Amino acid sequence: MPPVLSPAVPTAAHPDPARPRSALGKLMITEAKLLLREPITLFWSAAFPVILLIVMGLASSATQADLGGLRLIDTYQPILIAFAATAFAVQGMPTALATYRERRILRRLATTPVGPARVLAAQLTANLALILTATAAIITTGHLAFHVPLPGNGLAFLLALMLTATAMLSLGLLVAALAPSGRAAGAIGAVLFFPMMFFAGLWIPKATMPHVLRQISDFTPLGAAVQALQDSTTGQWPAPVALAMLTAYAIIFAAAAAKFFRWQ
Amino acid sequence: MPVIEVDQLHKRYGAKVAVEEVSFTVDDGEIFGIVGPNGAGKTTTVECIEGLRRPDRGRIRVLGLNPERDRAQLRQRLGVQLQEAELPDKLTVAEAIDLYRSFYRHPADHTALLEALGLADQRKTRYRKLSGGQKQRLSIALALIGRPEVAVLDELTTGLDPHARRDTWALIRTIRDQGVTILLVTHFMDEAERLCDRLALIHSGRVAALDSPTGLTDRVNTEQRLRFRPSAPLADQLLTTLPEVTRLTRTADEVIVTGTTNLLGAVTAALARDNIVAERLRVERTSLEDAFVALTGQQP
């Protein structure tokens, strides 16, 4: 048997073992792999919105005057994109991070040269990648199966999507900062998810909401998100107030998360 | 030059003083133990050495580096095993090793390390499916993957069965023989006794004693004790009259004799004169646990 602490020898995977792969890249790949091993999270956050979209597509035939001249599926596409973003960012990610803290994984990383902050960066990147993938799946399914038009203003849509994802990931970090355990983070995530999705129009689309509810919705994170995504899908630039709300939420949540986050 | 220097360390959490005053040095190639009851300040002390906590007062140097100021440099050279630190449930052994390798500039050969730790067959096993001993060995592997010059191991064998504990001890000796200085935190006295070259006994935030395990037991070793089964009936007076014997008691079939140094020679000589053989003779010496109780007035 070779000595326990013998130096690394070159292999196919590591031709130059003295310089291993970048730690951040490795952490990102690892976190992404771990996320893909969570079938329940993946089903709820990515598959379920697509299934819901298909159901809406089968149920909607003609345009509806009460939906502002859109079909049911056209109305729901941005809502389901917000669903996927929120499920990954506010339910899945904080549960994982709070569990990491609870099980002293973050503290263990603090004793290594890379430190624990990069595992946060890796989690954010992995979740953002999955949010973008789920969004692409929703848009592709809607377009190919039900002729939902592709975003009319691609740049505006991308901006709205990135702002939505950023605001939700920041909120996820805040939940992870405040939750004492992984289980608590899951519970807080669920408590936030349902009211936010209500104002996004999951149960009553915004167009059919009573006036007061619609006004409140405009000032909630997902109400603003759906508005911005909807506007850019129909080819317009989103209302400045929606973009401003999303930006403000992103900054507030991120600042609060930075203030309250504990590594142990 | 000592590898670890701790000089008058003091650390409090709010009103509670965790470490009152702790000083010790660890030399190159030593297995140095920090022993003491739960809550004595052991973990706080090593967390200051690891740079995870900021001392309120006192000076710490590891490999000549300041754990706070020279954090980045030290973390390449210091391996750490934390008490109760886990890994993600669905991460495999190989993935964990591969991930931690990427953190260090000159990592160890993972195949050799996994083989030496008996984890070669578990490469594809997820963390959740590992046994307690395997999890502990993986944790040691991750502490060593960066080929550290110093390894800090906190409560190494807690939760392991006796067989796994012995294997782990042998492994620690092997690692030391390869030139790694080891700082071991434990509340198991038998572990400290068998493994450590020197140890600091910490009690209520202070160093109660600093010595080799034998040195510590010698300090409180005032008497010896023999137990045996006499081959023929034995009159008490035969032994109690000896100057070396202070006390004699009997169990159902054994005689227990307590006395001073050279007790064994005096008793066996006296028995031989009467043609009595001391069967199943055992000499009981003071254990580190006894020394601990004597030095701290408390159960470990």
Side-chain angles (χ1 to χ4, degrees):
Chain A
M1 183 190 297
V4 185
L5 299 177
S6 58
V9 289
T11 62
H14 296 278
D16 182 5
R19 295 180 63 196
R21 301 177 73 148
S22 116
L24 184 59
K26 203 82 196 168
L27 268 171
M28 283 176 183
I29 293 168
T30 305
E31 292 303 325
K33 268 191 203 167
L34 289 173
L35 239 171
L36 293 174
R37 286 175 196 167
E38 295 299 334
I40 295 172
T41 304
L42 286 182
F43 176 78
W44 171 246
S45 311
F48 189 66
V50 173
I51 293 169
L52 220 51
L53 184 80
I54 293 170
V55 172
M56 295 294 173
L58 296 173
S60 55
S61 46
T63 57
Q64 290 174 244
D66 61 347
L67 292 176
L70 295 170
R71 292 175 302 162
L72 196 60
I73 188 170
D74 303 321
T75 307
Y76 265 96
Q77 183 162 292
I79 296 173
L80 293 171
I81 291 170
F83 184 115
T86 310
F88 274 119
V90 183
Q91 294 193 281
M93 187 182 71
T95 308
L97 285 177
T99 307
Y100 282 7
R101 184 200 300 116
E102 191 181 1
R103 303 179 67 182
R104 295 167 58 96
I105 293 168
L106 298 179
R107 194 148 178 78
R108 176 66 184 86
L109 286 168
T111 68
T112 70
V114 301
R118 282 183 225 185
V119 84
L120 252 59
Q123 271 278 339
L124 288 169
T125 315
N127 278 282
L128 180 62
L130 280 168
I131 290 170
L132 297 181
T133 309
T135 303
I138 289 169
I139 291 176
T140 312
T141 309
H143 183 65
L144 293 183
F146 305 105
H147 311 294
V148 179
L150 292 173
N153 186 340
L155 195 64
F157 180 83
L158 205 61
L159 176 69
L161 179 62
M162 288 306 284
L163 277 177
T164 303
T166 308
M168 288 303 102
L169 289 168
S170 303
L171 180 58
L173 283 181
L174 179 59
V175 174
L178 298 176
S181 66
R183 195 179 282 256
I188 297 170
V191 165
L192 290 171
F193 180 83
F194 290 102
M196 286 201 302
M197 281 315 298
F198 173 81
F199 285 110
L202 184 60
W203 288 276
I204 318 164
K206 272 182 90 167
T208 61
M209 276 183 190
H211 183 65
V212 179
L213 275 187
R214 205 184 315 172
Q215 277 195 321
I216 297 172
S217 165
D218 285 342
F219 292 96
T220 66
L222 292 187
V226 169
Q227 189 65 55
L229 291 168
Q230 183 73 72
D231 289 349
S232 54
T233 302
T234 52
Q236 311 157 24
W237 273 94
V241 64
L243 296 181
M245 287 311 300
L246 282 175
T247 310
Y249 275 117
I251 292 170
I252 293 167
F253 292 148
K259 181 169 165 52
F260 293 115
F261 201 90
R262 295 157 293 122
W263 297 111
Q264 57 156 331
Chain B
M1 194 186 76
V3 169
I4 301 175
E5 296 168 80
V6 177
D7 191 26
Q8 299 187 348
L9 176 69
H10 180 93
K11 175 74 188 174
R12 64 164 69 220
Y13 304 120
K16 191 183 170 293
V17 177
V19 176
E20 180 72 50
E21 198 198 308
V22 166
S23 304
F24 61 85
T25 58
V26 179
D27 291 327
D28 194 14
E30 260 193 316
I31 301 182
F32 188 91
I34 295 186
V35 298
N38 292 327
K42 305 189 297 283
T43 295
T44 300
T45 302
V46 294
E47 283 180 342
C48 290
I49 293 169
E50 292 158 353
L52 289 175
R53 287 189 193 281
R54 174 191 295 263
D56 295 334
R57 280 204 307 274
R59 179 177 179 277
I60 297 180
R61 290 292 177 273
V62 182
L63 298 161
L65 300 168
N66 179 334
E68 276 189 274
R69 210 189 47 218
D70 312 314
R71 185 175 299 216
Q73 243 183 308
L74 184 56
R75 285 182 181 170
Q76 286 286 348
R77 300 169 65 186
L78 178 75
V80 172
Q81 190 228 6
L82 288 182
Q83 196 181 346
E84 287 165 11
E86 297 183 87
L87 287 169
D89 274 341
K90 294 183 178 175
L91 194 66
T92 69
V93 169
E95 286 167 344
I97 292 281
D98 204 31
L99 177 64
Y100 273 69
R101 281 191 84 226
S102 74
F103 298 168
Y104 297 93
R105 274 199 290 270
H106 306 291
D109 180 50
H110 49 307
T111 315
L113 191 59
L114 285 180
E115 238 165 65
L117 285 154
L119 287 169
D121 295 340
Q122 275 74 41
R123 289 180 57 82
K124 290 185 177 161
T125 309
R126 293 183 176 187
Y127 182 75
R128 188 177 45 186
K129 305 266 182 188
L130 296 175
S131 73
Q134 290 166 342
K135 283 180 181 173
Q136 198 73 307
R137 291 206 298 274
L138 178 56
S139 171
I140 297 171
L142 295 180
L144 298 175
I145 192 75
R147 293 205 291 145
E149 290 155 67
V150 187
V152 181
L153 310 170
D154 196 347
E155 296 296 352
L156 188 64
T157 62
T158 302
L160 297 191
D161 60 53
H163 192 76
R165 289 184 75 201
R166 275 159 203 272
D167 287 351
T168 308
W169 292 342
L171 176 72
I172 298 306
R173 286 193 200 96
T174 312
I175 293 160
R176 187 267 300 275
D177 293 344
Q178 289 177 37
V180 182
T181 304
I182 290 167
L183 182 64
L184 186 78
V185 182
T186 183
H187 70 278
F188 290 121
M189 293 303 143
D190 56 341
E191 181 165 300
E193 192 162 14
R194 282 158 195 251
L195 210 49
C196 296
D197 300 312
R198 285 193 309 135
L199 40 92
L201 200 163
I202 296 192
H203 180 56
S204 304
R206 288 175 181 279
V207 177
L210 185 66
D211 211 332
S212 67
T214 343
L216 278 181
T217 48
D218 281 352
R219 288 187 193 197
V220 294
N221 193 2
T222 49
E223 52 181 32
Q224 286 191 340
R225 192 190 290 164
L226 301 180
R227 301 170 74 105
F228 60 91
R229 196 160 65 179
S231 59
L234 167 71
D236 283 6
Q237 294 87 332
L238 179 70
L239 297 179
T240 50
T241 49
L242 295 171
E244 289 86 354
V245 173
T246 50
R247 202 152 46 91
L248 182 147
T249 51
R250 288 172 185 271
T251 64
D253 56 352
E254 276 189 329
V255 175
I256 303 164
V257 186
T258 315
T260 54
T261 338
N262 202 25
L263 180 68
L264 181 62
V267 169
T268 44
L271 292 174
R273 281 198 293 276
D274 278 22
N275 292 322
I276 300 173
V277 176
E279 292 171 351
R280 294 194 182 178
L281 174 66
R282 293 198 304 285
V283 181
E284 291 179 355
R285 59 187 192 87
T286 318
S287 67
L288 193 58
E289 196 156 328
D290 298 325
F292 181 93
V293 174
L295 289 166
T296 65
Q298 194 180 333
Q299 292 297 327

